[in-house]
Amino acid sequence: MAKWGEGDPRWIVEERADATNVNNWHWTERDATNWSSDKLKSLLLGLSVEDDEGSCEVTEVSKLEGEASINNRKGKLIFFYEWNLKATWTGKSKSGIKYKGTIEIPNLSDENDMEDLDISISLNKDEPETPLVQLMKSKGAEKIRRALGSYVGFLKTEFTQGMILPTANGMVQLQSNSQSKAKTDKTQISSSSSTATPVNTGVKIPTCKFSMRETFLTSPADLYRVFVNQEMTQAFTHAPATVDGERGGKFRLLDGNVFGEFTELVPDEKIVMKWRYNNWPCEHYAIVTLSFVDRRSETELKVDCRGVPDNDEERTKDGWKRYYFEAIKQTFGYGARLF
């Protein structure tokens, strides 16, 4: 997995001021292109809508051309982004007929308001006519617009964390990921002492670990399958999901709000995964281990989570209880005995 390290745009690279740039009087720039590309894909992939005619989902982002950056002058951040996107959507009617089409967005830019965004949605040439096109042009386009608006919000909040920090003497100190410096300097963080050697460390967030246990009235084999089978995951989440139940396979569920990768699979016994909420800091994952213990007529599931951001501990616990434990029991009838 991608780690906090060299090449990650969230790392802080020391910005050395020279005689002509005291207190960052002139322009300094931080490249946000790679971060933006990953963020846009994560926000769009898995996005879905449905109505009485069927359902549609964004299944591929085939084109992402453009760039993004943040400029600083005198402590003021100025954002620049310009993107040309093309994606694929697939639809499925209530009768089971599948369709495929395209989404084109040529003008995602800081110069355009979200209301002025051109979102062109069409059906592929060889596909028969379907009301699902109208579903994508109405509900689908609106959901895409909101997702792209979220990207702009994340660019101005999540990506900029650590760019402008107060120093001990109250002056403003810029820390950026300048392209020119990134090519020549190793990833490092400014020391409070001007003579100290920068240490090789990165942006750190406080994290926690916790364990949860739950009992299900089914066998370890059946419960294990719920987590690695795409159809079963879609059943208990009540929404389209992508699940590749192999080691190294990716998963994405709950409208893309949860995604990750399976790193270890021991059939019917253990699942280890990189797991994250979509709004966590870029490329930060928790490590979640599921252990399936056979208790004869039932299975005890132990969930160990490490690396969960401190401020998201309760939300993560509640999410697992509500969207995994309770949803699985209600969907497959693995709940407590009624006596």
Side-chain angles (χ1 to χ4, degrees):
M1 75 174 184
K3 299 180 178 179
W4 297 108
E6 289 191 18
D8 191 314
R10 292 288 315 286
W11 271 66
I12 298 173
V13 178
E14 182 185 23
E15 184 74 20
R16 296 185 180 90
D18 57 31
T20 61
N21 192 26
V22 177
N23 292 327
N24 298 289
W25 187 261
H26 299 296
W27 289 100
T28 54
E29 181 176 303
R30 185 177 184 185
D31 182 36
T33 301
N34 291 336
W35 177 91
S36 293
S37 179
D38 290 341
K39 179 61 70 175
L40 286 166
K41 288 179 181 178
S42 71
L43 289 169
L44 292 173
L45 285 174
L47 188 151
S48 62
V49 290
E50 62 179 320
D51 63 7
D52 293 338
E53 299 293 339
S55 60
C56 301
E57 179 182 0
V58 179
T59 53
E60 180 186 7
V61 178
S62 55
K63 177 181 178 181
L64 252 178
E65 294 181 348
E67 59 182 325
S69 62
I70 302 174
N71 292 298
N72 173 281
R73 186 175 184 179
K74 302 179 184 178
K76 181 180 179 181
L77 298 180
I78 299 174
F79 299 87
F80 168 81
Y81 56 92
E82 187 172 22
W83 293 98
N84 182 355
L85 298 86
K86 187 173 182 179
T88 298
W89 65 271
T90 57
K92 187 176 182 180
S93 68
K94 290 294 185 181
S95 60
I97 301 175
K98 295 182 179 180
Y99 302 88
K100 182 175 286 189
T102 59
I103 304 164
E104 294 188 64
I105 307 166
N107 65 332
L108 176 60
S109 166
D110 58 284
E111 296 181 353
N112 298 318
D113 293 332
M114 280 298 146
E115 293 75 15
D116 300 326
L117 201 62
D118 293 330
I119 302 177
S120 176
I121 295 173
S122 60
L123 192 66
N124 288 357
K125 290 183 179 179
D126 298 333
E127 299 285 337
E129 292 297 320
T130 172
L132 294 180
V133 176
Q134 188 56 41
L135 171 63
M136 280 300 296
K137 287 184 176 181
S138 55
K139 292 183 179 180
E142 182 57 33
K143 209 163 187 179
I144 290 169
R145 197 181 305 275
R146 289 201 302 268
L148 297 178
S150 296
Y151 154 70
V152 176
F154 283 127
L155 178 65
K156 294 182 178 181
T157 54
E158 179 182 302
F159 184 77
T160 58
Q161 291 180 21
M163 283 192 71
I164 300 180
L165 302 174
T167 59
N169 60 8
M171 299 294 290
V172 171
Q173 177 181 356
L174 174 71
Q175 295 180 321
S176 73
N177 211 14
S178 170
Q179 279 183 297
S180 60
K181 295 295 292 180
K183 292 179 181 178
T184 57
D185 290 356
K186 291 184 178 180
T187 303
Q188 52 192 225
I189 185 169
S190 297
S191 170
S192 58
S193 170
S194 60
T195 59
T197 302
V199 293
N200 201 17
T201 184
V203 176
K204 296 180 180 179
I205 61 173
T207 63
C208 65
K209 60 180 180 180
F210 59 83
S211 296
M212 307 173 70
R213 294 177 184 269
E214 193 73 14
T215 300
F216 297 82
L217 293 179
T218 188
S219 67
D222 286 344
L223 187 59
Y224 175 91
R225 193 158 53 246
V226 168
F227 291 92
V228 297
N229 180 277
Q230 180 166 301
E231 287 72 24
M232 297 183 78
T233 300
Q234 290 181 149
F236 79 77
T237 58
H238 306 289
T242 301
V243 180
D244 181 6
E246 302 286 342
R247 182 174 180 178
K250 306 293 179 64
F251 59 86
R252 180 179 295 272
L253 53 150
L254 299 172
D255 281 336
N257 287 308
V258 169
F259 59 94
E261 177 182 332
F262 296 111
T263 58
E264 182 181 353
L265 294 172
V266 181
D268 310 338
E269 294 182 16
K270 184 169 73 170
I271 295 173
V272 183
M273 62 181 103
K274 297 190 305 182
W275 186 99
R276 61 172 277 142
Y277 278 124
N278 183 51
N279 64 346
W280 282 0
C282 184
E283 293 299 336
H284 179 80
Y285 289 82
I287 302 300
V288 177
T289 301
L290 308 181
S291 302
F292 302 82
V293 183
D294 191 349
R295 301 296 187 194
R296 295 187 179 180
S297 61
E298 57 191 25
T299 299
E300 181 184 72
L301 176 66
K302 182 181 179 184
V303 180
D304 293 306
C305 298
R306 293 186 293 109
V308 174
D310 271 352
N311 59 2
D312 246 357
E313 178 179 358
E314 290 306 314
R315 181 169 76 113
T316 304
K317 288 180 178 178
D318 291 343
W320 271 88
K321 290 176 182 177
R322 179 179 177 183
Y323 296 108
Y324 283 97
F325 300 164
E326 294 176 8
I328 289 171
K329 288 182 177 182
Q330 291 173 2
T331 302
F332 303 110
Y334 298 162
R337 294 184 180 88
L338 299 177
F339 62 83

